[in-house]
Amino acid sequence: MGSPETATIESADGAERPVDRRMLIDGGLVAAARSFPSLNPATGEVLGYAPDATIYDAERAVAAARRAFDETDWSTNVDLRIRCLEQLHSALVEHRDELGQLTTDEVGATPALLAGAQYDQPVEIVRFYADLLKTVDLTEDLGNIEIRGGLHHRWVEKEAAGVVAAIIAYNYPNQLALAKLAPALAAGCTVILKAAPDTPLVTLALGELIANHTDIPAGVVNVLSGADPEVGAVLTTNADVDAVTFTGSTPTGRRIMAAASDTLKRVFLELGGKSAAIVLDDADFKTAATFSAFSMVTHAGQGCALTSRLLVPRKHHDEIVELIKTNFSFVRYGDPNDPKTYMGPLISEKQRDKVDGMVQRAVAAGATLVTGGEKKGPGYFYTPTLLTNVDPDSEIAQEEVFGPVLAVIAYEDDDDAVRIANNSIYGLSGAIFGGQDRALAMARRIRTGTFSINGGNYFSPDAPFGGYKQSGIGREMGVAGLEEFQERKTFAVPVAGDDK
């Protein structure tokens, strides 16, 4: 792909540092007045420096996106949008090795994750929307209706929602960026994409790819990086932004929703989760334990949809706990470049301290630490952690940990299991193991946006993803993901008298 010419700018500590990637604003790759470091979470060492965007940079990006939407044919030229999405898909495939390595170095993604949700699957989201745009019906005929003696023909046209501010989290930066960017572009929107402060280089590299390898017009896509929360505030409050799509924590999502309310923006939120996996008494316990253990430590537990609560029949509690403990002992963690590594690091020392603090408080509150609960280095590793005797109302059972920590909760019967699973402000995902009919009936009683039955995998570009309750508003991916970025306009014309 080739990085732009290196620029030297002042970093947050006052020293002059080289910028390894640049922001994309109004078609140009630009630096900023200051920079900030991005760390390799597997070593704790500085990986590179990213531009630290200012309020002025954010305002320039918004103005560029507004002009591109209002003054070009991007929002109406479907053929151009298809071509550009196909170009972006090809570029992502062609530069997979480079961007994959950067994702490993900055995010801590293992080879297996790169082949899945850290890279290869997100790339296919772009292809999905390019193909969908070739077949999706952007109009809906409502037919004729007689009103006050006159006949009127009505139809609905789907138009682009406008300028979109897309703000993403650090854990799956390629997935989160492309799940917002691809449908927004397919719908005809223009976008300001803000990288997560912990993983800016990966997202900036996406911006460089767009600038260097696609025909996407200037201003249609703008990519910012920065550590200043005021930059995000510009995106959520600026009157020229029509919609905000955010992935991150529920507390931050609440603040974004409140900030956007002053200008009544469309807001899509993909927030936290505290999903439950239920093991029924007729389940295959070994299968359930394998799924629950290894999914919980995927990407060191840094996934919003992971099932971090395991609900087990009380009479089989000890048997299932022992199976989980054994599976955790098989988890190989360490260098994410090693193909034999299953679990990489947490993103930062701050995140590891947060996880460890929650585990320590859980034990102090009466939970039993069966295994794990240890910091390992160099880098920000935390051993797979299993807690039992967990109170369903306790912090560890109610709050998102975002680390490799599984809380086991015993239940009495099916109704009790459903009650515990629904005892959460969140409603993102869930899983259940047992006889198919019984498991499906229980799954339908649990208020979440996605659900796995006996290990079924729902995650793909054509499947809508999102949550109930405080896990979010709206859906990403699938046809539903396109519709989030569309407005509907209803038309009517009188029908000539001889056509009645």
Side-chain angles (χ1 to χ4, degrees):
M1 177 170 59
S3 299
E5 182 180 346
T6 300
T8 301
I9 57 178
E10 185 181 349
S11 68
D13 61 7
E16 287 193 346
R17 308 286 187 190
V19 172
D20 296 273
R21 300 284 176 184
R22 297 198 191 190
M23 300 184 293
L24 175 61
I25 300 178
D26 203 12
L29 295 171
V30 300
R34 294 167 65 87
S35 69
F36 67 103
S38 177
L39 304 183
N40 182 329
T43 65
E45 299 175 350
V46 173
L47 177 64
Y49 288 84
D52 194 1
T54 63
I55 291 174
Y56 171 70
D57 294 321
E59 290 174 342
R60 279 206 304 142
V62 171
R66 185 79 262 168
R67 284 194 303 272
F69 187 82
D70 292 341
E71 299 175 13
T72 77
D73 70 344
W74 175 258
S75 67
T76 57
N77 192 334
V78 175
D79 290 339
L80 173 61
R81 302 203 301 269
I82 292 171
R83 184 173 84 245
C84 290
L85 285 169
E86 290 177 338
Q87 290 171 340
L88 178 56
H89 177 265
S90 296
L92 288 163
V93 171
E94 181 181 350
H95 296 280
R96 197 265 190 191
D97 290 346
E98 178 186 349
L99 293 180
Q101 186 61 57
L102 181 58
T103 304
T104 293
D105 293 341
E106 189 173 45
V107 186
T110 62
L113 284 175
L114 290 178
Q118 286 286 10
Y119 196 84
D120 289 351
Q121 285 179 332
V123 168
E124 290 312 302
I125 295 174
V126 182
R127 166 58 65 185
F128 172 79
Y129 283 107
D131 290 343
L132 179 64
L133 205 51
K134 298 172 186 176
T135 60
V136 68
D137 194 347
L138 299 178
T139 64
E140 178 186 0
D141 194 292
L142 300 180
N144 295 341
I145 188 172
E146 186 174 347
I147 300 177
R148 296 178 181 177
L151 199 60
H152 304 266
H153 183 71
R154 296 98 20 83
W155 73 96
V156 176
E157 294 183 5
K158 299 175 183 178
E159 301 179 346
V163 175
V164 174
I167 305 171
I168 64 173
Y170 68 78
N171 54 333
Y172 287 87
N174 295 310
Q175 164 68 33
L176 301 179
L178 294 175
K180 298 178 187 305
L181 190 61
L185 295 180
C189 296
T190 58
V191 181
I192 308 102
L193 173 63
K194 184 182 181 298
D198 285 308
T199 55
L201 302 180
V202 171
T203 306
L204 292 172
L206 174 61
E208 292 177 15
L209 206 70
I210 289 169
N212 294 328
H213 297 280
T214 76
D215 295 329
I216 294 175
V220 168
V221 177
N222 304 272
V223 182
L224 303 176
S225 60
D228 185 352
E230 290 303 312
V231 171
V234 170
L235 302 182
T236 57
T237 59
N238 193 303
D240 282 336
V241 173
D242 300 298
V244 177
T245 173
F246 168 76
T247 297
S249 71
T250 293
T252 303
R254 294 187 192 112
R255 292 193 294 271
I256 287 175
M257 192 171 186
S261 66
D262 284 346
T263 49
L264 293 179
K265 301 183 191 308
R266 297 163 65 103
V267 178
F268 318 130
L269 303 173
E270 203 276 279
L271 306 176
K274 194 67 186 178
S275 302
I278 302 172
V279 182
L280 300 179
D281 54 16
D282 63 349
D284 181 328
F285 294 162
K286 289 184 178 180
T287 298
T290 299
F291 175 96
S292 299
F294 285 95
S295 65
M296 190 60 244
V297 298
T298 298
H299 195 31
Q302 297 171 112
C304 53
L306 298 179
T307 47
S308 54
R309 293 181 294 159
L310 182 64
L311 313 188
V312 302
R314 188 172 298 279
K315 63 181 178 180
H316 297 292
H317 175 277
D318 293 350
E319 178 185 356
I320 296 171
V321 166
E322 192 60 32
L323 289 170
I324 296 286
K325 179 182 177 182
T326 298
N327 283 324
F328 271 179
S329 72
F330 294 147
V331 175
R332 179 168 176 167
Y333 58 87
D335 180 6
N337 286 287
D338 187 340
K340 295 181 181 179
T341 296
Y342 187 84
M343 188 182 83
L346 291 166
I347 194 63
S348 65
E349 184 69 26
K350 179 182 178 181
Q351 180 62 23
R352 186 170 67 173
D353 286 346
K354 179 210 168 190
V355 171
D356 188 56
M358 292 186 72
V359 170
Q360 292 186 36
R361 290 194 298 275
V363 173
T368 300
L369 178 62
V370 177
T371 187
E374 296 179 274
K375 298 179 181 181
K376 297 290 184 179
Y380 310 125
F381 295 92
Y382 198 76
T383 54
T385 300
L386 180 61
L387 296 168
T388 61
N389 297 318
V390 172
D391 183 338
D393 295 320
S394 66
E395 178 193 45
I396 202 71
Q398 291 292 320
E399 298 298 326
E400 189 172 41
V401 179
F402 234 55
V405 180
L406 183 62
V408 179
I409 301 171
Y411 68 84
E412 301 299 335
D413 55 25
D414 289 2
D415 288 343
D416 191 36
V418 171
R419 180 189 62 78
I420 294 171
N422 282 330
N423 177 29
S424 173
I425 65 170
Y426 301 109
L428 187 55
S429 192
I432 192 166
F433 295 87
Q436 193 91 342
D437 292 343
R438 177 185 173 197
L440 179 58
M442 288 181 65
R444 286 179 170 142
R445 297 172 61 190
I446 297 169
R447 291 184 53 77
T448 65
T450 55
F451 217 92
S452 169
I453 299 171
N454 290 322
N457 193 330
Y458 52 78
F459 198 78
S460 66
D462 63 340
F465 179 83
Y468 289 16
K469 300 190 280 187
Q470 294 190 42
S471 283
I473 298 171
R475 293 294 181 267
E476 291 186 338
M477 301 193 294
V479 175
L482 178 68
E483 292 174 342
E484 296 287 1
F485 297 101
Q486 293 175 322
E487 292 280 12
R488 288 167 175 77
K489 180 182 291 184
T490 303
F491 293 85
V493 294
V495 177
D498 57 355
D499 292 332
K500 291 182 182 180

